[in-house]
Amino acid sequence: MNSLLVAAVVGLGLGAFLQKGRFCFVNAFRDFFAYKDSRVTKGVLAATLLTMVFWGIAYQLGYYQGFWTPAWGLTGLLGGFVFGIGMTYAGGCASGTLYRAGEGYLQFWLTLAFMGVGYAVFTVAFPTLQSTYFGPLQFGEGVSLFTISPIPAGLLALLVAAGVTLVYATLVGRGETKGEPEERATVASVQPSVLLAPVVGARQFAAGTRQYVDGLVEAWRTPLASSKRPWDPRTAALGITAVAVLWFTQVSIVGVTGPEARWTGYLLSQVGVDAGSFEYWGAILFRGAGVGVTTDMVMIGFVILGAGLAAAWSGDFSIRVPKRRRLPNAVVGGFLMGAGSRLAPGCNIGNIYSGIAELSVHSFIAAAGIVLGVYVMTHWIYREVGCAI
Amino acid sequence: MPSIDDVTDAPDELSDEEAESLFEQADEVQDMMGEVCPYPQVEAKKGLQGLDAGDLLVQETDHVPCTENVPRAVGDDADARVWRSGDGVYRIYLEKQ
């Protein structure tokens, strides 16, 4: 298949789904910590698990191009933490920054620019970092559990997804049985409470899913009007999964900051910088193939365009001028995101979404680092009004 | 953990006329144009702390996620309604409970 066409379809689709679902990983974790709002968290969870299942099946059947599995170690935790701090301060993750740039936020174009500064500074420091940072902190070769598991990949993905859903149902169920003494009294009298939580949670989960499907059917009665309203993040999750599976079978896993770092090298090479002579750009990001425009760079460009089109359609597009007091968020947050995503390596999409979906050992560690960074920064921003968790 | 109902209850939307007449009754108006998350959430919480029950706090914002995040952040502290202008400006009406 024509790779440019794939990049356009996947990019436009991703951008539109991200925009319509407000698919922001900062929102997903920050608001969960700050006031236990889990709408977007559920969307992120659904997208990751669904993608995991379909990627696992695609891998087992041989329809894939390759995994992204950096060496694992403490770099994931440290770089992820820096990235998490950065994205919470900036008010948008790697994917959130992209789709808001498409919505017309000058704030997030500035964030993108300073992510570029982060990539460039990292690139200059890379030879030193390799011996002082990556050398001592990376412990082993990166690996995807899909490739080493004795269980077939499709089945492994299903088992992990089922396991996570069960844990989720148990947590929801536990919260629910605490909250509703009546239900506990009637059901708990016949069942030990340890068994009760997953059952109540699963019932909640089923009811929620039913409610979601009803809402979807309802929305389809007025497709035009519904398409302009904000979508349930789970609908966005389904759409994201569809384009991510297409991308996986044709190109690779979905990443954002890798292609962005390549854009930085490419744009600098256009203004006379010999980007290819830097080891990180020349040998690693462009793999010795010369500094040029790669398929995934085109895809990232289409994400911004797709988000812009979706926003214009929904009446959400507007050139937004930032408040002056928010400029440090774009400058410092963007820089920390750019640098953090290289130090880990990987951003929220590479590590939380794609990385967990491909069961990469490095990404489990990096995802923990990112969430930890969000937690710390959320508590700092909410220091005057307090956090729920 | 939050209940599944959290997913579906979006704040009520106001018509242009309602939005205009209510705006005149606002006890406090916060200018959140050009702001990004989570500062409007934090400001809304702080703003409500200084108001009495029944008072109306209005935030004017051009940040799309705020229309959902701000009502959720204040939770039971305020009854929230939202007005969408259709060209990227939104007002969030918070009546302190």
Side-chain angles (χ1 to χ4, degrees), chain A residues 24-334:
Chain A
C24 176
F25 284 60
V26 180
N27 192 334
F29 297 110
R30 177 198 61 212
D31 293 357
F32 183 67
F33 294 141
Y35 43 90
K36 292 190 183 180
D37 176 20
S38 64
R39 276 166 318 142
V40 187
T41 329
K42 283 172 193 149
V44 167
L45 198 65
T48 308
L49 293 182
L50 279 169
T51 304
M52 181 195 297
V53 169
F54 285 105
W55 281 5
I57 293 169
Y59 171 74
Q60 193 183 331
L61 300 178
Y63 293 107
Y64 73 104
Q65 303 298 324
F67 291 117
W68 173 76
T69 51
W72 66 272
L74 282 177
T75 57
L77 204 61
L78 287 171
F81 184 77
V82 171
F83 184 84
I85 295 273
M87 75 177 193
T88 313
Y89 190 54
C93 60
S95 47
T97 300
L98 273 188
Y99 90 70
R100 290 192 194 123
E103 284 178 326
Y105 283 85
L106 297 183
Q107 171 90 15
F108 288 101
W109 282 100
L110 191 67
T111 307
L112 277 178
F114 276 88
M115 287 172 77
V117 175
Y119 302 139
V121 169
F122 173 86
T123 301
V124 172
F126 181 69
T128 319
L129 287 170
Q130 220 173 4
S131 54
T132 57
Y133 173 78
F134 288 106
L137 293 179
Q138 286 183 328
F139 304 140
E141 283 293 301
V143 67
S144 156
L145 297 186
F146 283 137
T147 59
I148 55 162
S149 157
I151 309 170
L155 183 62
L156 177 66
L158 278 171
L159 287 175
V160 173
V164 173
T165 310
L166 185 71
V167 170
Y168 171 78
T170 308
L171 288 173
V172 173
R174 237 185 21 209
E176 207 50 40
T177 44
K178 266 182 220 151
E180 285 172 25
E182 272 176 50
E183 175 142 17
R184 184 164 51 176
T186 50
V187 194
S189 53
V190 285
Q191 285 168 330
S193 61
V194 191
L195 288 176
L196 180 68
V199 173
V200 174
R203 220 189 290 152
Q204 281 268 335
F205 182 72
T209 307
R210 225 173 9 247
Q211 216 169 26
Y212 166 67
V213 173
D214 289 347
L216 214 56
V217 172
E218 184 68 34
W220 267 105
R221 295 212 179 105
T222 52
L224 271 184
S226 301
S227 72
K228 294 186 182 190
R229 275 197 296 272
W231 297 357
D232 189 304
R234 287 170 292 185
T235 306
L238 287 171
I240 289 168
T241 303
V243 290
V245 171
L246 175 61
W247 190 247
F248 183 68
T249 60
Q250 301 297 325
V251 184
S252 180
I253 66 145
V254 181
V256 171
T257 47
E260 281 177 3
R262 274 192 278 278
W263 268 116
T264 308
Y266 174 77
L267 291 175
L268 286 174
S269 76
Q270 295 300 300
V271 295
V273 177
D274 184 10
S277 68
F278 289 90
E279 186 189 355
Y280 190 64
W281 275 320
I284 295 185
L285 285 182
F286 288 103
R287 297 193 188 104
V291 177
V293 178
T294 57
T295 312
D296 55 358
M297 286 163 67
V298 177
M299 192 271 275
I300 292 302
F302 274 110
V303 171
I304 298 184
L305 183 63
L309 292 173
W313 173 253
S314 319
D316 289 330
F317 182 87
S318 132
I319 301 293
R320 297 163 167 90
V321 182
K323 279 228 188 309
R324 186 174 296 176
R325 64 165 185 251
R326 276 306 141 244
L327 295 183
N329 297 68
V331 172
V332 178

Side-chain angles (χ1 to χ4, degrees), chain A residues 22 27 30-31 35 37-39 42 91 105 171 208 234 315-316 320-321 323 325-326 329 381-382 384, chain B residues 1-2 4 7 31 33-39 41 46 62-64 68-69 72-73 86-88 90:
Chain A
R22 288 90 64 227
N27 192 334
R30 177 198 61 212
D31 293 357
Y35 43 90
D37 176 20
S38 64
R39 276 166 318 142
K42 283 172 193 149
Y105 283 85
L171 288 173
R234 287 170 292 185
D316 289 330
R320 297 163 167 90
V321 182
K323 279 228 188 309
R325 64 165 185 251
R326 276 306 141 244
N329 297 68
I381 292 178
Y382 275 79
E384 287 174 55
Chain B
M1 286 293 282
I4 209 88
V7 185
D31 169 23
M33 299 291 283
E35 274 287 359
V36 295
C37 287
Y39 298 96
Q41 286 98 301
K46 286 204 276 191
D62 57 3
H63 194 39
V64 196
E68 291 171 280
N69 293 347
R72 227 159 265 277
D87 58 1
Y90 316 86

